[in-house]
């Protein structure tokens, strides 16, 4: 079977470290492996509008910011088709038919949607569009016949929902759609990177993010503010690793060479953790270490980004070309879809 990769992000703000470890890193690895017939990255503006319909300017601005982030991270528009969701009306058409294949109860059971509803405090004013966004996500995936979806763990219920729709469609109208699978990050802590407050996942909507475009000073300040162990008051007190955000981040970002370069007193993370638990290692020391590691990752991204910012027209050109190419595929697949449903009346 053809390997077709598709992922996306909601343009609700700039990309942060959670996006990087949860999805972008995998996209870059897959792009480098070059073992796919097509790779798409979709900017999910229609989805973002489901809970930001009152702020289209934010979405508009974020489309540019996210594209800058992609290119700064190394997503290569020569290999990857980057496109804007709302500019492919075929997606809306798929969604409309899929709505018949899903029950309201099934949508309300989706654990990710459930927690997002709570977070947004909709109470009795849940927009129908918001509740249905997993259906439109199923359209995004299947319209491009995507098989591999590199995402964070919060997206697993969406993949499950998509495959249910695929199964239902195929059993009703004949084998037409292809099932897909999620590609999760290699490191389990990256499935759901916590925010700097340690309370929940890093998320644009929660204001607990380190953005890929943050300057060095902001990164330093955010790292210094990170939640550690509130009982670790004096350097010599024993410290806890569990729930200590600095160690969670070190688990994700630190490697051997970082110790040699920035913290040669310790051989590796195991040794550092033991010393911290025993007492004698201060929070500022581990935070400075983490800051150096993050700076090593973020500096080249930041530099590429500021170069790209000098030519915003070229950013929109990438989006135009990507959207045009994606629509050619979308049109063709929609025809087959309608034929399967026997709603291609003039043929
Ligand atoms: P919003 O708050 O608007 O929903 P978000 O920060 O949750 O924004 P999305 O655009 O919804 O970001 O997510 C895009 C991709 O990034 C998804 O694949 C998601 O799984 C992944 N992702 C987002 N946040 C994290 C995180 N903290 N850890 C790991 N992966 C994440
Ligand atoms: Mg989200």
């Amino acid at each position: 079977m053809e390997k077709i990769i598709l992922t996306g992000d909601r343009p609700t703000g700039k990309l942060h470290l959670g996006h990087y470890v949860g999805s972008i890193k995998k996209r870059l690895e897959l792009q480098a492996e070059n073992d796919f017939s097509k790779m798409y990255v979709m900017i999910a503006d229609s989805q973002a509008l489901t809970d930001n319909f009152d702020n289209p300017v934010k979405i508009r601005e974020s489309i540019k910011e996210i594209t800058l982030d992609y290119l700064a991270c190394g997503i290569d528009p020569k290999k990857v088709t980057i496109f804007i969701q709302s500019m492919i009306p075929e997606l809306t058409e798929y969604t409309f038919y899929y709505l018949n294949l899903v029950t309201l109860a099934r949508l309300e059971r989706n654990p990710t949607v459930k927690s997002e509803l709570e977070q947004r405090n909709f109470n009795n004013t849940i927009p129908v569009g918001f509740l249905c966004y997993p259906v439109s996500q199923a359209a995004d995936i299947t319209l491009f016949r995507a098989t591999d979806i590199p995402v964070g763990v919060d997206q697993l219920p969406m993949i499950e929902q998509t495959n249910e729709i695929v199964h239902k469609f195929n059993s009703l109208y004949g084998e037409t759609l292809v099932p897909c699978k999620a590609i999760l990050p290699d490191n389990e802590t990256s499935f759901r990177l916590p925010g700097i407050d340690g309370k929940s996942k890093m998320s644009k909507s929660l204001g607990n993010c380190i953005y890929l475009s943050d300057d060095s000073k902001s990164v330093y300040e955010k790292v210094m503010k990170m939640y550690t162990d509130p009982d670790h008051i004096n350097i010599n007190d024993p410290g806890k690793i569990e729930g200590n955000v600095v160690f969670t981040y070190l688990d994700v970002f630190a490697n051997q060479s970082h110790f040699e370069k920035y913290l040669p007193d310790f051989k590796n993370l195991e040794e550092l953790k033991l010393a911290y638990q025993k007492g004698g290692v201060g929070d500022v020391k581990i935070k400075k270490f983490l800051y150096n590691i993050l700076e090593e990752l973020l500096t080249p991204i930041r530099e590429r980004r500021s170069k790209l910012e000098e030519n915003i027209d070229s950013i929109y050109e990438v989006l135009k070309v990507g959207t045009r190419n994606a629509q050619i595929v979308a049109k063709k697949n929609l025809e087959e879809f309608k034929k399967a449903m026997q709603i291609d009346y003039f043929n």
Side-chain angles (χ1 to χ4, degrees):
M1 197 169 60
E2 245 187 321
K3 181 161 158 185
I4 299 178
I5 301 165
L6 182 139
T7 39
D9 303 280
R10 295 157 35 95
T12 50
K14 298 175 175 186
L15 296 185
H16 53 63
L17 284 176
H19 297 120
Y20 186 82
V21 298
S23 178
I24 304 274
K25 196 161 168 243
K26 208 21 128 203
R27 296 180 206 176
L28 293 169
E29 282 166 24
L30 290 164
Q31 175 182 279
E33 281 168 21
N34 222 350
D35 169 34
F36 51 82
S37 59
K38 267 286 188 191
M39 183 159 165
Y40 299 97
V41 172
M42 183 187 79
I43 303 186
D45 64 325
S46 312
Q47 189 188 119
L49 281 166
T50 63
D51 57 335
N52 290 278
F53 47 84
D54 53 350
N55 198 353
V57 175
K58 173 168 109 185
I59 308 295
R60 193 183 169 91
E61 195 51 30
S62 302
I63 289 176
K64 181 186 80 198
E65 297 294 348
I66 283 193
T67 313
L68 279 166
D69 285 329
Y70 288 157
L71 303 186
C73 285
I75 301 275
D76 178 359
K78 287 199 200 76
K79 294 185 181 163
V80 177
T81 307
I82 307 175
F83 70 94
I84 303 177
Q85 184 184 27
S86 70
M87 300 191 80
I88 313 278
E90 286 79 2
L91 286 169
T92 322
E93 211 169 327
Y94 257 53
T95 306
F96 190 73
Y97 296 115
Y98 282 172
L99 286 171
N100 301 326
L101 309 181
V102 181
T103 66
L104 188 57
R106 177 64 183 89
L107 288 175
E108 284 170 341
R109 237 182 14 245
N110 184 314
T112 301
V113 174
K114 251 192 197 166
S115 71
E116 287 172 342
L117 287 175
E118 273 165 32
Q119 224 184 69
R120 285 164 179 74
N121 266 323
F122 281 134
N123 299 315
N124 281 332
T125 59
I126 304 170
V128 175
F130 185 80
L131 198 61
C132 297
Y133 90 71
V135 183
S136 97
Q137 219 166 306
D140 306 332
I141 294 170
T142 53
L143 179 54
F144 292 96
R145 300 191 187 289
T147 53
D148 294 63
I149 320 293
V151 281
V153 83
D154 62 321
Q155 293 302 308
L156 289 181
M158 311 307 168
I159 304 293
E160 198 183 317
Q161 176 85 77
T162 300
N163 284 330
E164 280 173 33
I165 292 175
V166 167
H167 183 74
K168 185 127 193 210
F169 187 97
N170 286 350
S171 60
L172 284 168
Y173 308 119
E175 287 298 316
T176 313
L177 306 175
V178 250
C180 62
K181 61 173 191 295
I183 310 285
L184 291 175
D186 300 326
N187 172 323
E188 212 168 302
T189 320
S190 305
F191 285 12
R192 189 177 177 279
L193 189 76
I196 56 170
D197 55 359
K199 282 198 193 103
S200 44
K201 76 156 200 166
M202 182 176 283
S203 168
K204 285 170 275 185
S205 320
L206 299 174
N208 58 6
C209 303
I210 295 179
Y211 291 97
L212 299 180
S213 48
D214 276 346
D215 59 23
S216 302
K217 189 166 166 274
S218 316
V219 176
Y220 187 80
E221 283 165 6
K222 287 178 184 180
V223 171
M224 288 300 150
K225 267 205 302 220
M226 268 185 179
Y227 183 84
T228 53
D229 169 6
D231 300 326
H232 185 237
I233 297 160
N234 300 307
I235 288 193
N236 291 324
D237 293 338
K240 272 201 282 303
I241 303 292
E242 191 127 322
N244 185 320
V245 183
V246 178
F247 279 102
T248 310
Y249 279 50
L250 288 176
D251 275 331
V252 174
F253 295 101
N255 63 36
Q256 201 57 45
S257 83
H258 292 139
F259 278 91
E260 285 152 24
K261 263 187 270 179
Y262 308 120
L263 201 62
D265 302 358
F266 297 91
K267 264 215 271 332
N268 52 37
L269 192 52
E270 257 344 278
E271 219 184 87
L272 178 65
K273 282 181 180 171
L274 284 173
Y276 186 84
Q277 281 168 313
K278 204 166 137 240
V281 181
D283 279 358
V284 173
K285 188 171 193 137
I286 56 168
K287 284 178 168 174
K288 280 196 172 144
F289 180 45
L290 176 61
Y291 166 72
N292 283 320
I293 295 172
L294 293 181
E295 275 296 284
E296 194 175 307
L297 170 72
L298 296 175
T299 305
I301 297 179
R302 201 182 288 136
E303 283 169 2
R304 276 196 299 267
R305 202 180 199 279
S306 67
K307 279 227 177 68
L308 290 159
E309 277 168 359
E310 287 168 15
N311 188 358
I312 292 298
D313 286 350
S314 71
I315 298 297
Y316 283 102
E317 199 46 40
V318 164
L319 290 173
K320 269 188 211 162
V321 172
T323 304
R324 203 186 303 135
N325 290 337
Q327 193 166 22
I328 294 170
V329 178
K331 276 212 165 99
K332 188 173 147 282
N333 291 345
L334 178 67
E335 271 172 34
E336 277 179 44
F337 177 95
K338 288 182 136 178
K339 194 166 151 212
M341 279 185 79
Q342 305 195 35
I343 56 171
D344 58 335
Y345 304 118
F346 294 153
N347 284 332

